[in-house]
PDB file of all heavy atoms in Angstrom:
ATOM      1  N   ALA A  15      14.043 -15.297 -25.479  1.00 95.00           N
ATOM      2  CA  ALA A  15      12.657 -15.648 -25.778  1.00 95.00           C
ATOM      3  C   ALA A  15      11.687 -14.692 -25.084  1.00 95.00           C
ATOM      4  O   ALA A  15      11.952 -14.196 -23.987  1.00 95.00           O
ATOM      5  CB  ALA A  15      12.375 -17.080 -25.353  1.00 95.00           C
ATOM      6  N   ASP A  40      13.713 -28.926  -2.748  1.00 89.00           N
ATOM      7  CA  ASP A  40      12.332 -29.279  -2.406  1.00 89.00           C
ATOM      8  C   ASP A  40      11.636 -28.176  -1.615  1.00 89.00           C
ATOM      9  O   ASP A  40      10.425 -27.983  -1.745  1.00 89.00           O
ATOM     10  CB  ASP A  40      12.294 -30.578  -1.613  1.00 89.00           C
ATOM     11  CG  ASP A  40      12.608 -31.795  -2.474  1.00 89.00           C
ATOM     12  OD1 ASP A  40      12.572 -31.665  -3.716  1.00 89.00           O
ATOM     13  OD2 ASP A  40      12.899 -32.861  -1.910  1.00 89.00           O
ATOM     14  N   THR A  46       3.309 -27.116  -2.481  1.00 73.00           N
ATOM     15  CA  THR A  46       2.615 -25.832  -2.591  1.00 73.00           C
ATOM     16  C   THR A  46       3.024 -24.856  -1.488  1.00 73.00           C
ATOM     17  O   THR A  46       2.319 -23.891  -1.227  1.00 73.00           O
ATOM     18  CB  THR A  46       1.094 -26.057  -2.517  1.00 73.00           C
ATOM     19  OG1 THR A  46       0.770 -26.725  -1.277  1.00 73.00           O
ATOM     20  CG2 THR A  46       0.609 -26.897  -3.686  1.00 73.00           C
ATOM     21  N   GLU A  47       4.154 -25.110  -0.851  1.00 76.00           N
ATOM     22  CA  GLU A  47       4.612 -24.211   0.204  1.00 76.00           C
ATOM     23  C   GLU A  47       4.839 -22.813  -0.375  1.00 76.00           C
ATOM     24  O   GLU A  47       5.448 -22.659  -1.442  1.00 76.00           O
ATOM     25  CB  GLU A  47       5.924 -24.730   0.807  1.00 76.00           C
ATOM     26  CG  GLU A  47       6.423 -23.897   1.968  1.00 76.00           C
ATOM     27  CD  GLU A  47       7.660 -24.503   2.617  1.00 76.00           C
ATOM     28  OE1 GLU A  47       7.867 -25.720   2.456  1.00 76.00           O
ATOM     29  OE2 GLU A  47       8.413 -23.762   3.272  1.00 76.00           O
ATOM     30  N   PRO A  58      18.817  -4.340 -21.843  1.00 94.00           N
ATOM     31  CA  PRO A  58      19.316  -3.112 -22.460  1.00 94.00           C
ATOM     32  C   PRO A  58      18.567  -2.778 -23.759  1.00 94.00           C
ATOM     33  O   PRO A  58      18.701  -3.472 -24.758  1.00 94.00           O
ATOM     34  CB  PRO A  58      20.792  -3.440 -22.736  1.00 94.00           C
ATOM     35  CG  PRO A  58      20.825  -4.924 -22.923  1.00 94.00           C
ATOM     36  CD  PRO A  58      19.739  -5.477 -22.030  1.00 94.00           C
ATOM     37  N   PHE A  62      10.639  -5.702 -28.612  1.00 93.00           N
ATOM     38  CA  PHE A  62       9.783  -6.869 -28.436  1.00 93.00           C
ATOM     39  C   PHE A  62       9.197  -7.310 -29.780  1.00 93.00           C
ATOM     40  O   PHE A  62       8.569  -6.522 -30.486  1.00 93.00           O
ATOM     41  CB  PHE A  62       8.662  -6.557 -27.445  1.00 93.00           C
ATOM     42  CG  PHE A  62       9.157  -6.394 -26.023  1.00 93.00           C
ATOM     43  CD1 PHE A  62       9.680  -5.181 -25.586  1.00 93.00           C
ATOM     44  CD2 PHE A  62       9.118  -7.457 -25.134  1.00 93.00           C
ATOM     45  CE1 PHE A  62      10.140  -5.024 -24.286  1.00 93.00           C
ATOM     46  CE2 PHE A  62       9.584  -7.313 -23.834  1.00 93.00           C
ATOM     47  CZ  PHE A  62      10.096  -6.104 -23.417  1.00 93.00           C
ATOM     48  N   ILE A  67      12.822 -11.263 -27.849  1.00 96.00           N
ATOM     49  CA  ILE A  67      13.178  -9.892 -27.528  1.00 96.00           C
ATOM     50  C   ILE A  67      14.593  -9.671 -28.044  1.00 96.00           C
ATOM     51  O   ILE A  67      15.518 -10.417 -27.694  1.00 96.00           O
ATOM     52  CB  ILE A  67      13.127  -9.639 -26.008  1.00 96.00           C
ATOM     53  CG1 ILE A  67      11.745 -10.010 -25.449  1.00 96.00           C
ATOM     54  CG2 ILE A  67      13.444  -8.182 -25.688  1.00 96.00           C
ATOM     55  CD1 ILE A  67      11.680  -9.998 -23.920  1.00 96.00           C
ATOM     56  N   PRO A  72      24.433  -8.069 -25.803  1.00 98.00           N
ATOM     57  CA  PRO A  72      24.160  -9.393 -25.212  1.00 98.00           C
ATOM     58  C   PRO A  72      24.384  -9.418 -23.700  1.00 98.00           C
ATOM     59  O   PRO A  72      25.272 -10.108 -23.186  1.00 98.00           O
ATOM     60  CB  PRO A  72      25.152 -10.303 -25.947  1.00 98.00           C
ATOM     61  CG  PRO A  72      26.300  -9.407 -26.264  1.00 98.00           C
ATOM     62  CD  PRO A  72      25.698  -8.058 -26.567  1.00 98.00           C
ATOM     63  N   LEU A  77      17.151  -8.672 -10.993  1.00 97.00           N
ATOM     64  CA  LEU A  77      17.067  -8.130  -9.648  1.00 97.00           C
ATOM     65  C   LEU A  77      16.244  -9.113  -8.833  1.00 97.00           C
ATOM     66  O   LEU A  77      15.094  -9.407  -9.164  1.00 97.00           O
ATOM     67  CB  LEU A  77      16.406  -6.749  -9.660  1.00 97.00           C
ATOM     68  CG  LEU A  77      17.046  -5.706 -10.593  1.00 97.00           C
ATOM     69  CD1 LEU A  77      16.317  -4.361 -10.457  1.00 97.00           C
ATOM     70  CD2 LEU A  77      18.533  -5.548 -10.313  1.00 97.00           C
ATOM     71  N   SER A  79      14.855 -10.416  -5.021  1.00 97.00           N
ATOM     72  CA  SER A  79      14.542  -9.932  -3.671  1.00 97.00           C
ATOM     73  C   SER A  79      13.911 -11.053  -2.861  1.00 97.00           C
ATOM     74  O   SER A  79      13.099 -11.829  -3.377  1.00 97.00           O
ATOM     75  CB  SER A  79      13.577  -8.742  -3.745  1.00 97.00           C
ATOM     76  OG  SER A  79      13.301  -8.234  -2.454  1.00 97.00           O
ATOM     77  N   LEU A  88      19.896 -15.687   1.885  1.00 94.00           N
ATOM     78  CA  LEU A  88      21.217 -16.282   2.044  1.00 94.00           C
ATOM     79  C   LEU A  88      21.347 -17.589   1.255  1.00 94.00           C
ATOM     80  O   LEU A  88      22.396 -17.880   0.681  1.00 94.00           O
ATOM     81  CB  LEU A  88      21.501 -16.538   3.524  1.00 94.00           C
ATOM     82  CG  LEU A  88      21.685 -15.289   4.396  1.00 94.00           C
ATOM     83  CD1 LEU A  88      21.811 -15.690   5.861  1.00 94.00           C
ATOM     84  CD2 LEU A  88      22.907 -14.502   3.958  1.00 94.00           C
ATOM     85  N   PHE A  94      23.589 -18.709  -6.100  1.00 96.00           N
ATOM     86  CA  PHE A  94      23.994 -17.879  -7.234  1.00 96.00           C
ATOM     87  C   PHE A  94      25.524 -17.835  -7.376  1.00 96.00           C
ATOM     88  O   PHE A  94      26.045 -17.893  -8.485  1.00 96.00           O
ATOM     89  CB  PHE A  94      23.449 -16.461  -7.071  1.00 96.00           C
ATOM     90  CG  PHE A  94      21.943 -16.369  -7.081  1.00 96.00           C
ATOM     91  CD1 PHE A  94      21.291 -15.306  -6.484  1.00 96.00           C
ATOM     92  CD2 PHE A  94      21.180 -17.353  -7.686  1.00 96.00           C
ATOM     93  CE1 PHE A  94      19.907 -15.220  -6.496  1.00 96.00           C
ATOM     94  CE2 PHE A  94      19.786 -17.287  -7.702  1.00 96.00           C
ATOM     95  CZ  PHE A  94      19.155 -16.209  -7.095  1.00 96.00           C
ATOM     96  N   GLU A 127       1.675   3.370   6.030  1.00 96.00           N
ATOM     97  CA  GLU A 127       1.233   3.773   4.694  1.00 96.00           C
ATOM     98  C   GLU A 127       2.460   3.944   3.819  1.00 96.00           C
ATOM     99  O   GLU A 127       3.434   4.584   4.209  1.00 96.00           O
ATOM    100  CB  GLU A 127       0.452   5.081   4.766  1.00 96.00           C
ATOM    101  CG  GLU A 127      -0.049   5.573   3.412  1.00 96.00           C
ATOM    102  CD  GLU A 127      -0.851   6.870   3.522  1.00 96.00           C
ATOM    103  OE1 GLU A 127      -1.791   6.895   4.349  1.00 96.00           O
ATOM    104  OE2 GLU A 127      -0.529   7.836   2.809  1.00 96.00           O
ATOM    105  N   THR A 180      -5.224 -11.082  12.504  1.00 93.00           N
ATOM    106  CA  THR A 180      -5.417  -9.782  13.148  1.00 93.00           C
ATOM    107  C   THR A 180      -4.483  -8.714  12.578  1.00 93.00           C
ATOM    108  O   THR A 180      -4.805  -7.524  12.590  1.00 93.00           O
ATOM    109  CB  THR A 180      -5.184  -9.891  14.665  1.00 93.00           C
ATOM    110  OG1 THR A 180      -3.895 -10.495  14.905  1.00 93.00           O
ATOM    111  CG2 THR A 180      -6.262 -10.742  15.313  1.00 93.00           C
ATOM    112  N   LEU A 185      -5.298  -3.878   6.276  1.00 96.00           N
ATOM    113  CA  LEU A 185      -4.623  -3.836   4.991  1.00 96.00           C
ATOM    114  C   LEU A 185      -5.542  -3.258   3.911  1.00 96.00           C
ATOM    115  O   LEU A 185      -6.737  -3.575   3.842  1.00 96.00           O
ATOM    116  CB  LEU A 185      -4.201  -5.259   4.597  1.00 96.00           C
ATOM    117  CG  LEU A 185      -3.185  -5.410   3.462  1.00 96.00           C
ATOM    118  CD1 LEU A 185      -1.864  -4.750   3.833  1.00 96.00           C
ATOM    119  CD2 LEU A 185      -2.980  -6.888   3.155  1.00 96.00           C
ATOM    120  N   VAL A 197       1.225  -9.589 -20.328  1.00 94.00           N
ATOM    121  CA  VAL A 197       2.530 -10.231 -20.211  1.00 94.00           C
ATOM    122  C   VAL A 197       2.422 -11.664 -20.717  1.00 94.00           C
ATOM    123  O   VAL A 197       1.515 -12.401 -20.325  1.00 94.00           O
ATOM    124  CB  VAL A 197       3.009 -10.221 -18.740  1.00 94.00           C
ATOM    125  CG1 VAL A 197       4.299 -11.019 -18.609  1.00 94.00           C
ATOM    126  CG2 VAL A 197       3.211  -8.798 -18.248  1.00 94.00           C
ATOM    127  N   HIS A 199       3.374 -15.309 -20.619  1.00 93.00           N
ATOM    128  CA  HIS A 199       3.916 -16.149 -19.553  1.00 93.00           C
ATOM    129  C   HIS A 199       3.430 -17.577 -19.725  1.00 93.00           C
ATOM    130  O   HIS A 199       2.228 -17.847 -19.730  1.00 93.00           O
ATOM    131  CB  HIS A 199       3.465 -15.592 -18.193  1.00 93.00           C
ATOM    132  CG  HIS A 199       4.018 -16.319 -17.013  1.00 93.00           C
ATOM    133  ND1 HIS A 199       5.365 -16.435 -16.758  1.00 93.00           N
ATOM    134  CD2 HIS A 199       3.389 -16.980 -15.994  1.00 93.00           C
ATOM    135  CE1 HIS A 199       5.556 -17.115 -15.647  1.00 93.00           C
ATOM    136  NE2 HIS A 199       4.379 -17.470 -15.173  1.00 93.00           N
ATOM    137  N   PHE A 211       0.956   2.444  -6.591  1.00 96.00           N
ATOM    138  CA  PHE A 211      -0.232   2.252  -5.780  1.00 96.00           C
ATOM    139  C   PHE A 211       0.106   2.479  -4.309  1.00 96.00           C
ATOM    140  O   PHE A 211       1.250   2.318  -3.886  1.00 96.00           O
ATOM    141  CB  PHE A 211      -0.854   0.866  -5.985  1.00 96.00           C
ATOM    142  CG  PHE A 211       0.095  -0.278  -5.786  1.00 96.00           C
ATOM    143  CD1 PHE A 211       0.235  -0.884  -4.553  1.00 96.00           C
ATOM    144  CD2 PHE A 211       0.836  -0.777  -6.846  1.00 96.00           C
ATOM    145  CE1 PHE A 211       1.104  -1.935  -4.361  1.00 96.00           C
ATOM    146  CE2 PHE A 211       1.716  -1.835  -6.674  1.00 96.00           C
ATOM    147  CZ  PHE A 211       1.843  -2.416  -5.431  1.00 96.00           C
TER     148      PHE A 211
END
Side-chain angles (χ1 to χ4, degrees):
D40 288 345
T46 58
E47 183 175 338
F62 290 83
I67 305 171
L77 305 182
S79 182
L88 292 174
F94 296 156
E127 180 179 308
T180 53
L185 195 62
V197 174
H199 183 60
F211 54 92

